[in-house]
Amino acid sequence: MIEDIVLLSRLQFAITVFFHFIFVPLTIGLGAMVAGFEVKYWKTKQEKWKKLAQFWGNLFKINFAFGIVTGFAMTFQFGTNWGQYAEFMGDVFASPLALEALIAFFLEATFFGIWLFTSYKKPALKAISMVLVSIGTMISAIWIITANAFMQNPVGYQMAADGSKVLLSDFGAVLTNPYLWYMLIHTLLAAYLLSALFMTAISGYYLLKKSNVDMYRTSMKLGVYVLIISAILLPTLGMFYGHYVGQVQPVKAAAMEAVWESGSELPMYLIQIPSDSQERNLVQAIGIPYVGSFLLTGDPRGEVTGLNDVPEEDRPPVAITFFSFRIMVMLGIVFILEALAGLYLVRKDPTMESPKSRKYMKLMLYSIPLPYIAIMFGWAVAEVGRQPWIVYGLYRTSEAISGIPAIQILFSMGLLVLFYLLLFFLFLYLMKRAIIAGPEVKEHA
Protein backbone atom coordinates (compact mmCIF):
# COMPACT_ATOMS: atom_id res chain seq x y z
CA MET A 1 0.00 0.00 0.00
CA ILE A 2 2.85 2.39 0.86
CA GLU A 3 4.39 1.63 -2.54
CA ASP A 4 1.14 2.71 -4.23
CA ILE A 5 1.09 6.00 -2.31
CA VAL A 6 4.72 6.70 -3.23
CA LEU A 7 4.09 5.90 -6.90
CA LEU A 8 0.94 8.05 -7.05
CA SER A 9 2.62 10.95 -5.24
CA ARG A 10 5.58 10.79 -7.63
CA LEU A 11 3.27 10.58 -10.63
CA GLN A 12 1.23 13.58 -9.50
CA PHE A 13 4.34 15.67 -8.91
CA ALA A 14 5.80 14.57 -12.26
CA ILE A 15 2.61 15.71 -14.05
CA THR A 16 2.75 19.03 -12.21
CA VAL A 17 6.43 19.68 -12.96
CA PHE A 18 6.31 18.54 -16.59
CA PHE A 19 3.30 20.71 -17.34
CA HIS A 20 4.89 23.72 -15.63
CA PHE A 21 8.06 23.18 -17.63
CA ILE A 22 6.21 23.52 -20.91
CA PHE A 23 6.28 27.28 -20.30
CA VAL A 24 9.59 27.82 -18.49
CA PRO A 25 12.19 27.35 -21.29
CA LEU A 26 10.32 29.45 -23.85
CA THR A 27 9.86 32.19 -21.24
CA ILE A 28 13.60 32.24 -20.48
CA GLY A 29 14.72 32.17 -24.12
CA LEU A 30 12.10 34.50 -25.59
CA GLY A 31 12.60 36.93 -22.71
CA ALA A 32 16.26 37.38 -23.64
CA MET A 33 15.45 37.77 -27.35
CA VAL A 34 12.62 40.26 -26.78
CA ALA A 35 14.93 42.25 -24.50
CA GLY A 36 17.42 42.40 -27.39
CA PHE A 37 14.72 43.65 -29.78
CA GLU A 38 13.63 46.32 -27.27
CA VAL A 39 17.20 47.55 -26.82
CA LYS A 40 17.71 47.59 -30.59
CA TYR A 41 14.59 49.71 -31.08
CA TRP A 42 15.66 52.07 -28.30
CA LYS A 43 19.03 52.57 -29.99
CA THR A 44 17.93 52.75 -33.65
CA LYS A 45 14.24 53.81 -33.57
CA GLN A 46 13.70 51.55 -36.58
CA GLU A 47 10.12 50.33 -36.86
CA LYS A 48 11.23 46.78 -37.66
CA TRP A 49 12.68 46.27 -34.17
CA LYS A 50 9.55 47.67 -32.55
CA LYS A 51 7.37 45.20 -34.48
CA LEU A 52 9.68 42.32 -33.61
CA ALA A 53 9.53 43.26 -29.93
CA GLN A 54 5.74 43.53 -30.07
CA PHE A 55 5.16 40.24 -31.86
CA TRP A 56 7.54 38.06 -29.88
CA GLY A 57 6.68 40.00 -26.73
CA ASN A 58 3.03 38.98 -27.09
CA LEU A 59 4.06 35.30 -27.21
CA PHE A 60 6.35 35.87 -24.22
CA LYS A 61 3.45 37.36 -22.20
CA ILE A 62 1.31 34.27 -22.71
CA ASN A 63 4.11 31.90 -21.64
CA PHE A 64 5.02 34.07 -18.68
CA ALA A 65 1.45 34.14 -17.38
CA PHE A 66 0.88 30.39 -17.73
CA GLY A 67 4.25 29.68 -16.13
CA ILE A 68 3.30 31.65 -13.03
CA VAL A 69 -0.09 29.93 -12.69
CA THR A 70 1.31 26.41 -13.04
CA GLY A 71 4.31 27.14 -10.81
CA PHE A 72 2.13 27.72 -7.75
CA ALA A 73 0.70 24.19 -7.98
CA MET A 74 4.13 22.67 -7.29
CA THR A 75 4.63 24.46 -3.98
CA PHE A 76 1.26 23.29 -2.65
CA GLN A 77 2.30 19.65 -3.02
CA PHE A 78 5.17 20.04 -0.58
CA GLY A 79 2.57 20.60 2.11
CA THR A 80 0.16 17.90 0.93
CA ASN A 81 1.85 14.88 -0.66
CA TRP A 82 5.42 15.53 0.53
CA GLY A 83 5.11 16.72 4.12
CA GLN A 84 7.92 14.52 5.48
CA TYR A 85 10.23 15.78 2.74
CA ALA A 86 9.40 19.40 3.61
CA GLU A 87 10.25 18.64 7.24
CA PHE A 88 13.54 16.93 6.35
CA MET A 89 14.68 19.53 3.80
CA GLY A 90 13.08 22.67 5.18
CA ASP A 91 16.21 24.28 6.61
CA VAL A 92 18.12 23.89 3.33
CA PHE A 93 15.20 24.32 0.92
CA ALA A 94 13.87 27.49 2.53
CA SER A 95 16.82 29.76 1.69
CA PRO A 96 16.99 29.37 -2.11
CA LEU A 97 13.20 29.33 -2.51
CA ALA A 98 12.82 32.43 -0.33
CA LEU A 99 15.53 34.20 -2.32
CA GLU A 100 13.83 33.13 -5.56
CA ALA A 101 10.61 34.78 -4.40
CA LEU A 102 12.19 37.90 -2.86
CA ILE A 103 14.75 38.63 -5.58
CA ALA A 104 13.79 36.94 -8.84
CA PHE A 105 9.99 36.82 -8.70
CA PHE A 106 9.57 40.40 -7.46
CA LEU A 107 12.07 41.61 -10.06
CA GLU A 108 10.25 39.77 -12.85
CA ALA A 109 6.75 40.73 -11.73
CA THR A 110 7.50 44.40 -11.07
CA PHE A 111 9.30 45.11 -14.30
CA PHE A 112 7.01 42.86 -16.33
CA GLY A 113 4.17 45.17 -15.31
CA ILE A 114 6.21 48.27 -16.15
CA TRP A 115 7.21 46.81 -19.53
CA LEU A 116 3.66 45.67 -20.26
CA PHE A 117 2.05 49.06 -19.68
CA THR A 118 4.84 51.36 -20.87
CA SER A 119 4.23 52.97 -24.25
CA TYR A 120 6.77 52.83 -27.03
CA LYS A 121 6.95 56.58 -26.59
CA LYS A 122 9.36 55.68 -23.77
CA PRO A 123 11.63 53.12 -25.48
CA ALA A 124 14.41 53.43 -22.89
CA LEU A 125 12.12 52.51 -19.99
CA LYS A 126 10.54 49.71 -22.02
CA ALA A 127 13.94 48.26 -22.98
CA ILE A 128 15.43 48.48 -19.48
CA SER A 129 12.31 46.90 -17.98
CA MET A 130 12.45 43.95 -20.38
CA VAL A 131 16.16 43.45 -19.77
CA LEU A 132 15.45 43.26 -16.03
CA VAL A 133 12.58 40.82 -16.61
CA SER A 134 14.91 38.60 -18.62
CA ILE A 135 17.57 38.77 -15.91
CA GLY A 136 14.88 37.92 -13.36
CA THR A 137 13.91 34.73 -15.20
CA MET A 138 17.54 33.59 -15.17
CA ILE A 139 17.98 34.46 -11.47
CA SER A 140 14.82 32.47 -10.78
CA ALA A 141 16.35 29.49 -12.56
CA ILE A 142 19.50 29.80 -10.41
CA TRP A 143 17.62 29.55 -7.11
CA ILE A 144 15.29 26.75 -8.19
CA ILE A 145 18.18 24.68 -9.52
CA THR A 146 20.19 25.44 -6.37
CA ALA A 147 17.54 23.53 -4.41
CA ASN A 148 17.44 20.70 -6.96
CA ALA A 149 21.24 20.44 -7.10
CA PHE A 150 21.34 19.86 -3.33
CA MET A 151 18.96 16.93 -3.83
CA GLN A 152 21.30 15.57 -6.50
CA ASN A 153 24.57 16.22 -4.64
CA PRO A 154 24.05 17.33 -1.01
CA VAL A 155 26.77 19.70 0.25
CA GLY A 156 27.09 22.36 2.94
CA TYR A 157 24.90 20.60 5.51
CA GLN A 158 25.00 18.72 8.76
CA MET A 159 22.49 16.28 10.19
CA ALA A 160 20.36 17.22 13.18
CA ALA A 161 21.37 15.51 16.42
CA ASP A 162 18.42 13.12 16.20
CA GLY A 163 19.03 12.46 12.48
CA SER A 164 15.55 13.68 11.57
CA LYS A 165 16.54 16.44 9.13
CA VAL A 166 19.40 18.27 7.43
CA LEU A 167 20.60 21.63 8.72
CA LEU A 168 22.24 24.25 6.50
CA SER A 169 25.80 24.80 7.68
CA ASP A 170 27.56 26.39 4.69
CA PHE A 171 25.43 28.38 2.23
CA GLY A 172 28.55 29.18 0.20
CA ALA A 173 29.11 25.47 -0.43
CA VAL A 174 25.49 25.13 -1.57
CA LEU A 175 25.97 27.99 -4.03
CA THR A 176 29.26 26.61 -5.36
CA ASN A 177 27.93 23.07 -5.70
CA PRO A 178 29.33 21.92 -9.08
CA TYR A 179 26.09 20.06 -9.79
CA LEU A 180 24.25 23.39 -9.62
CA TRP A 181 26.34 25.00 -12.33
CA TYR A 182 26.40 21.99 -14.65
CA MET A 183 22.61 21.69 -14.38
CA LEU A 184 21.98 25.45 -14.64
CA ILE A 185 24.04 26.01 -17.79
CA HIS A 186 22.60 22.86 -19.36
CA THR A 187 19.05 24.04 -18.56
CA LEU A 188 19.62 27.56 -19.88
CA LEU A 189 21.19 26.27 -23.10
CA ALA A 190 18.20 23.97 -23.59
CA ALA A 191 15.88 26.96 -23.09
CA TYR A 192 17.75 28.99 -25.70
CA LEU A 193 17.73 26.05 -28.12
CA LEU A 194 13.99 25.57 -27.74
CA SER A 195 13.31 29.31 -28.13
CA ALA A 196 15.61 29.58 -31.14
CA LEU A 197 13.94 26.64 -32.89
CA PHE A 198 10.53 28.11 -32.06
CA MET A 199 11.55 31.51 -33.44
CA THR A 200 13.01 29.92 -36.58
CA ALA A 201 9.84 27.91 -37.18
CA ILE A 202 7.34 30.75 -36.64
CA SER A 203 9.47 33.14 -38.71
CA GLY A 204 9.52 30.51 -41.46
CA TYR A 205 5.72 30.31 -41.28
CA TYR A 206 5.49 34.00 -42.15
CA LEU A 207 8.16 33.79 -44.83
CA LEU A 208 6.18 30.98 -46.46
CA LYS A 209 3.19 33.36 -46.47
CA LYS A 210 5.42 36.20 -47.78
CA SER A 211 4.19 38.42 -44.96
CA ASN A 212 6.44 41.06 -43.31
CA VAL A 213 9.34 39.44 -45.11
CA ASP A 214 12.13 41.76 -43.97
CA MET A 215 11.08 41.56 -40.35
CA TYR A 216 10.81 37.77 -40.21
CA ARG A 217 14.01 37.21 -42.17
CA THR A 218 15.73 39.08 -39.35
CA SER A 219 14.16 36.97 -36.60
CA MET A 220 14.76 33.77 -38.56
CA LYS A 221 18.48 34.53 -38.89
CA LEU A 222 18.67 35.25 -35.19
CA GLY A 223 16.87 31.98 -34.47
CA VAL A 224 19.23 29.98 -36.67
CA TYR A 225 22.36 31.55 -35.15
CA VAL A 226 21.19 30.96 -31.57
CA LEU A 227 20.09 27.44 -32.54
CA ILE A 228 23.47 26.40 -33.89
CA ILE A 229 25.37 27.86 -30.94
CA SER A 230 23.15 26.18 -28.36
CA ALA A 231 22.90 22.91 -30.32
CA ILE A 232 26.69 22.57 -30.38
CA LEU A 233 27.30 23.77 -26.82
CA LEU A 234 24.69 21.47 -25.28
CA PRO A 235 26.37 18.12 -26.09
CA THR A 236 29.80 19.63 -25.41
CA LEU A 237 28.77 20.66 -21.92
CA GLY A 238 26.71 17.47 -21.61
CA MET A 239 29.85 15.37 -22.04
CA PHE A 240 31.52 17.02 -19.04
CA TYR A 241 28.22 16.90 -17.16
CA GLY A 242 28.11 13.15 -17.76
CA HIS A 243 31.67 12.74 -16.44
CA TYR A 244 30.66 14.61 -13.28
CA VAL A 245 27.50 12.53 -12.82
CA GLY A 246 29.71 9.45 -13.07
CA GLN A 247 31.70 10.76 -10.07
CA VAL A 248 28.86 11.82 -7.74
CA GLN A 249 26.05 9.49 -8.91
CA PRO A 250 27.77 6.40 -10.35
CA VAL A 251 24.58 4.33 -10.18
CA LYS A 252 22.67 6.87 -12.29
CA ALA A 253 25.57 6.95 -14.75
CA ALA A 254 25.54 3.14 -15.04
CA ALA A 255 21.77 3.24 -15.65
CA MET A 256 22.20 5.86 -18.38
CA GLU A 257 24.33 3.41 -20.37
CA ALA A 258 22.75 0.20 -18.98
CA VAL A 259 26.07 -1.09 -17.62
CA TRP A 260 25.28 -4.21 -15.57
CA GLU A 261 28.75 -5.64 -15.03
CA SER A 262 31.63 -3.60 -13.61
CA GLY A 263 34.66 -3.13 -15.79
CA SER A 264 37.03 -0.80 -17.58
CA GLU A 265 37.55 0.08 -21.26
CA LEU A 266 33.82 -0.37 -21.79
CA PRO A 267 32.32 0.13 -25.26
CA MET A 268 29.20 2.11 -26.01
CA TYR A 269 26.57 -0.01 -27.77
CA LEU A 270 24.48 1.67 -30.45
CA ILE A 271 21.74 -0.94 -30.03
CA GLN A 272 20.72 -1.92 -26.50
CA ILE A 273 17.55 -3.07 -24.77
CA PRO A 274 17.93 -3.33 -20.97
CA SER A 275 15.71 -5.41 -18.73
CA ASP A 276 15.28 -4.45 -15.06
CA SER A 277 13.67 -7.78 -14.17
CA GLN A 278 16.41 -9.92 -15.76
CA GLU A 279 19.22 -7.56 -14.67
CA ARG A 280 20.90 -7.64 -18.07
CA ASN A 281 20.61 -6.28 -21.61
CA LEU A 282 18.31 -8.38 -23.76
CA VAL A 283 19.92 -6.96 -26.91
CA GLN A 284 23.40 -5.51 -27.17
CA ALA A 285 25.04 -4.86 -30.54
CA ILE A 286 27.42 -2.60 -32.47
CA GLY A 287 29.80 -1.57 -29.70
CA ILE A 288 32.21 1.34 -30.10
CA PRO A 289 35.33 0.48 -28.04
CA TYR A 290 36.27 2.66 -25.05
CA VAL A 291 33.44 5.18 -25.63
CA GLY A 292 31.30 3.86 -22.76
CA SER A 293 34.07 4.33 -20.22
CA PHE A 294 34.93 7.75 -21.64
CA LEU A 295 31.34 9.01 -21.47
CA LEU A 296 30.93 7.96 -17.84
CA THR A 297 34.39 8.68 -16.44
CA GLY A 298 36.21 10.97 -18.86
CA ASP A 299 38.84 8.25 -19.31
CA PRO A 300 38.64 5.69 -22.18
CA ARG A 301 40.09 3.11 -19.76
CA GLY A 302 38.06 4.27 -16.76
CA GLU A 303 36.50 1.84 -14.31
CA VAL A 304 32.68 1.81 -14.22
CA THR A 305 30.69 0.24 -11.39
CA GLY A 306 28.06 -2.07 -12.84
CA LEU A 307 24.46 -2.17 -11.66
CA ASN A 308 24.75 -5.78 -10.51
CA ASP A 309 27.30 -4.65 -7.90
CA VAL A 310 24.69 -2.30 -6.41
CA PRO A 311 21.90 -3.60 -4.12
CA GLU A 312 18.65 -3.85 -6.05
CA GLU A 313 16.89 -1.48 -3.65
CA ASP A 314 19.48 1.23 -4.45
CA ARG A 315 19.07 1.09 -8.23
CA PRO A 316 16.92 3.49 -10.27
CA PRO A 317 14.44 2.23 -12.90
CA VAL A 318 17.11 1.34 -15.46
CA ALA A 319 14.99 1.11 -18.63
CA ILE A 320 13.33 4.51 -18.07
CA THR A 321 16.66 6.19 -17.34
CA PHE A 322 18.42 4.49 -20.26
CA PHE A 323 15.79 5.19 -22.93
CA SER A 324 15.19 8.75 -21.70
CA PHE A 325 18.91 9.44 -22.05
CA ARG A 326 19.09 7.88 -25.51
CA ILE A 327 16.07 9.81 -26.79
CA MET A 328 17.55 13.07 -25.49
CA VAL A 329 20.89 12.35 -27.19
CA MET A 330 19.29 11.35 -30.51
CA LEU A 331 17.19 14.51 -30.56
CA GLY A 332 20.34 16.51 -29.78
CA ILE A 333 21.87 15.11 -32.99
CA VAL A 334 18.71 16.11 -34.90
CA PHE A 335 19.00 19.69 -33.61
CA ILE A 336 22.62 19.95 -34.73
CA LEU A 337 21.69 18.75 -38.23
CA GLU A 338 18.74 21.17 -38.41
CA ALA A 339 20.93 24.03 -37.19
CA LEU A 340 23.64 23.29 -39.77
CA ALA A 341 21.04 23.09 -42.53
CA GLY A 342 19.57 26.41 -41.41
CA LEU A 343 22.97 28.10 -41.30
CA TYR A 344 23.76 26.83 -44.79
CA LEU A 345 20.46 28.10 -46.19
CA VAL A 346 20.49 31.58 -44.61
CA ARG A 347 23.96 32.09 -46.06
CA LYS A 348 23.37 30.41 -49.42
CA ASP A 349 19.85 31.79 -49.90
CA PRO A 350 19.49 35.06 -47.90
CA THR A 351 16.01 35.67 -49.34
CA MET A 352 14.87 32.20 -48.13
CA GLU A 353 12.75 31.78 -51.28
CA SER A 354 14.37 28.71 -52.88
CA PRO A 355 12.53 25.34 -52.83
CA LYS A 356 15.08 23.97 -50.37
CA SER A 357 14.51 26.89 -48.03
CA ARG A 358 10.76 26.41 -48.20
CA LYS A 359 11.11 22.70 -47.38
CA TYR A 360 13.37 23.61 -44.47
CA MET A 361 10.86 26.11 -43.08
CA LYS A 362 8.08 23.52 -43.26
CA LEU A 363 10.33 20.99 -41.53
CA MET A 364 11.00 23.42 -38.70
CA LEU A 365 7.29 23.94 -38.11
CA TYR A 366 6.88 20.19 -37.58
CA SER A 367 9.96 20.21 -35.33
CA ILE A 368 8.51 22.58 -32.70
CA PRO A 369 7.53 19.72 -30.30
CA LEU A 370 10.98 18.09 -30.47
CA PRO A 371 12.93 20.33 -28.04
CA TYR A 372 10.05 20.07 -25.55
CA ILE A 373 10.31 16.28 -25.78
CA ALA A 374 14.10 16.39 -25.39
CA ILE A 375 13.87 18.61 -22.31
CA MET A 376 11.24 16.41 -20.65
CA PHE A 377 13.32 13.28 -21.21
CA GLY A 378 16.37 15.14 -19.91
CA TRP A 379 14.55 15.89 -16.67
CA ALA A 380 13.43 12.25 -16.52
CA VAL A 381 17.10 11.21 -16.60
CA ALA A 382 17.93 13.65 -13.80
CA GLU A 383 15.00 12.80 -11.52
CA VAL A 384 14.23 9.13 -12.25
CA GLY A 385 17.94 8.34 -12.37
CA ARG A 386 18.33 9.69 -8.82
CA GLN A 387 15.85 7.17 -7.40
CA PRO A 388 15.34 5.64 -4.91
CA TRP A 389 16.74 8.76 -3.26
CA ILE A 390 14.88 12.06 -3.02
CA VAL A 391 18.07 13.51 -1.49
CA TYR A 392 20.87 11.44 -2.96
CA GLY A 393 22.42 9.09 -0.42
CA LEU A 394 20.60 10.72 2.52
CA TYR A 395 16.86 10.35 2.27
CA ARG A 396 14.73 7.87 0.36
CA THR A 397 11.68 8.89 -1.63
CA SER A 398 9.60 6.32 0.23
CA GLU A 399 10.33 8.16 3.50
CA ALA A 400 9.34 11.59 2.17
CA ILE A 401 5.61 11.20 1.56
CA SER A 402 2.85 12.56 3.77
CA GLY A 403 1.00 9.27 3.91
CA ILE A 404 -2.39 10.58 2.81
CA PRO A 405 -4.77 7.92 1.41
CA ALA A 406 -4.21 6.80 -2.17
CA ILE A 407 -7.83 7.58 -3.10
CA GLN A 408 -7.30 11.24 -2.17
CA ILE A 409 -4.19 11.41 -4.36
CA LEU A 410 -6.09 9.84 -7.25
CA PHE A 411 -8.95 12.31 -6.83
CA SER A 412 -6.70 15.38 -6.67
CA MET A 413 -4.59 14.06 -9.57
CA GLY A 414 -7.72 13.62 -11.68
CA LEU A 415 -8.78 17.20 -10.98
CA LEU A 416 -5.25 18.39 -11.71
CA VAL A 417 -5.13 16.59 -15.07
CA LEU A 418 -8.52 17.98 -16.03
CA PHE A 419 -7.51 21.51 -15.04
CA TYR A 420 -4.21 21.22 -16.90
CA LEU A 421 -5.91 19.94 -20.04
CA LEU A 422 -8.18 22.99 -20.01
CA LEU A 423 -5.18 25.25 -19.43
CA PHE A 424 -3.22 23.57 -22.22
CA PHE A 425 -5.98 24.05 -24.80
CA LEU A 426 -6.41 27.65 -23.67
CA PHE A 427 -2.64 28.14 -24.04
CA LEU A 428 -2.66 26.67 -27.56
CA TYR A 429 -5.63 28.85 -28.52
CA LEU A 430 -3.99 32.05 -27.24
CA MET A 431 -0.64 31.24 -28.85
CA LYS A 432 -2.27 30.40 -32.17
CA ARG A 433 -4.32 33.59 -32.06
CA ALA A 434 -1.25 35.70 -31.26
CA ILE A 435 0.81 34.07 -34.02
CA ILE A 436 -1.91 34.48 -36.66
CA ALA A 437 -2.51 38.10 -35.60
CA GLY A 438 1.10 38.89 -36.45
CA PRO A 439 2.89 42.11 -35.59
CA GLU A 440 0.00 44.42 -36.45
CA VAL A 441 -1.62 44.34 -33.01
CA LYS A 442 -2.26 46.87 -30.29
CA GLU A 443 0.42 47.12 -27.61
CA HIS A 444 -1.69 45.61 -24.81
CA ALA A 445 -3.94 43.28 -26.80
Side-chain angles (χ1 to χ4, degrees):
M1 186 63 181
I2 293 294
E3 289 79 6
D4 293 338
I5 296 173
V6 173
L7 178 61
L8 289 172
S9 296
R10 287 178 60 195
L11 182 59
Q12 184 170 8
F13 196 77
I15 292 169
T16 305
V17 173
F18 278 12
F19 189 74
H20 172 62
F21 220 77
I22 291 173
F23 313 106
V24 171
L26 192 57
T27 297
I28 292 173
L30 271 189
M33 294 177 184
V34 172
F37 294 143
E38 295 284 15
V39 170
K40 196 72 175 176
Y41 176 66
W42 171 28
K43 296 297 184 182
T44 66
K45 301 299 186 294
Q46 292 181 15
E47 193 71 12
K48 175 177 72 172
W49 300 110
K50 174 183 172 181
K51 286 186 174 183
L52 282 167
Q54 279 185 313
F55 176 75
W56 296 108
N58 282 331
L59 301 181
F60 169 80
K61 294 171 196 174
I62 297 168
N63 273 268
F64 187 85
F66 277 83
I68 290 174
V69 171
T70 55
F72 286 132
M74 290 191 300
T75 58
F76 295 148
Q77 290 189 36
F78 292 129
T80 55
N81 296 18
W82 300 97
Q84 296 301 315
Y85 167 78
E87 183 71 24
F88 181 83
M89 272 285 287
D91 195 63
V92 174
F93 222 42
S95 298
L97 293 188
L99 288 169
E100 193 269 338
L102 291 171
I103 298 174
F105 184 73
F106 284 151
L107 180 68
E108 294 171 58
T110 300
F111 286 96
F112 177 77
I114 294 172
W115 169 74
L116 188 63
F117 294 108
T118 297
S119 168
Y120 274 100
K121 294 177 182 178
K122 298 178 181 178
L125 179 59
K126 204 164 182 69
I128 292 170
S129 297
M130 192 60 214
V131 169
L132 291 173
V133 171
S134 177
I135 292 171
T137 62
M138 286 183 263
I139 294 175
S140 182
I142 290 173
W143 293 121
I144 296 297
I145 292 176
T146 297
N148 188 276
F150 182 90
M151 295 161 63
Q152 304 282 353
N153 180 40
V155 295
Y157 72 95
Q158 62 184 28
M159 295 300 298
D162 60 359
S164 62
K165 59 183 178 179
V166 292
L167 301 173
L168 182 63
S169 61
D170 187 349
F171 192 57
V174 173
L175 284 180
T176 55
N177 186 350
Y179 211 110
L180 158 63
W181 297 101
Y182 277 115
M183 181 179 276
L184 176 68
I185 297 171
H186 200 73
T187 301
L188 291 178
L189 284 173
Y192 295 137
L193 184 145
L194 183 150
S195 303
L197 191 147
F198 180 81
M199 181 172 283
T200 301
I202 301 304
S203 299
Y205 165 77
Y206 273 96
L207 292 178
L208 288 169
K209 292 174 59 178
K210 300 187 182 298
S211 174
N212 292 279
V213 171
D214 180 55
M215 169 182 153
Y216 286 110
R217 274 188 196 141
T218 300
S219 60
M220 184 167 191
K221 288 178 182 178
L222 173 65
V224 167
Y225 291 144
V226 175
L227 179 61
I228 194 162
I229 292 170
S230 54
I232 291 173
L233 287 179
L234 264 170
T236 304
L237 173 73
M239 180 179 65
F240 295 106
Y241 191 4
H243 297 167
Y244 181 71
V245 169
Q247 296 174 29
V248 298
Q249 294 185 344
V251 183
K252 178 194 284 186
M256 286 161 58
E257 285 294 331
V259 178
W260 294 96
E261 303 299 331
S262 300
S264 59
E265 303 179 4
L266 297 179
M268 181 190 77
Y269 293 96
L270 297 182
I271 300 174
Q272 266 181 296
I273 300 178
S275 169
D276 289 76
S277 60
Q278 298 188 34
E279 300 183 332
R280 65 185 182 90
N281 293 322
L282 302 179
V283 177
Q284 188 167 278
I286 313 180
I288 304 175
Y290 303 105
V291 175
S293 285
F294 176 73
L295 288 175
L296 299 182
T297 68
D299 180 357
R301 302 181 184 277
E303 179 78 20
V304 178
T305 300
L307 291 161
N308 285 332
D309 288 334
V310 178
E312 185 178 356
E313 63 271 17
D314 290 342
R315 298 178 202 158
V318 177
I320 296 175
T321 306
F322 172 82
F323 285 115
S324 296
F325 180 67
R326 286 295 170 101
I327 291 169
M328 180 185 67
V329 170
M330 287 189 291
L331 287 174
I333 296 170
V334 170
F335 299 143
I336 292 174
L337 294 175
E338 289 184 334
L340 289 171
L343 182 64
Y344 170 79
L345 289 170
V346 297
R347 295 196 170 202
K348 187 80 172 178
D349 178 28
T351 63
M352 298 301 289
E353 293 179 352
S354 69
K356 287 183 179 179
S357 295
R358 295 181 69 82
K359 287 180 181 178
Y360 175 76
M361 291 185 287
K362 290 177 182 177
L363 171 66
M364 296 307 284
L365 279 170
Y366 289 113
S367 296
I368 288 176
L370 297 183
Y372 287 99
I373 294 170
I375 287 173
M376 297 309 175
F377 278 112
W379 277 109
V381 173
E383 302 307 308
V384 175
R386 188 183 66 234
Q387 300 304 315
W389 305 99
I390 196 166
V391 182
Y392 194 77
L394 291 182
Y395 198 53
R396 291 181 181 271
T397 306
S398 58
E399 301 172 303
I401 58 173
S402 299
I404 60 177
I407 189 66
Q408 292 186 20
I409 302 174
L410 279 170
F411 179 72
S412 61
M413 185 160 50
L415 289 178
L416 187 73
V417 169
L418 179 61
F419 177 63
Y420 277 179
L421 282 173
L422 293 173
L423 275 183
F424 184 65
F425 287 119
L426 177 60
F427 168 73
L428 291 179
Y429 166 74
L430 291 173
M431 289 290 284
K432 181 180 178 182
R433 189 177 72 166
I435 290 169
I436 291 174
E440 305 299 338
V441 293
K442 295 178 181 179
E443 283 187 22
H444 309 309

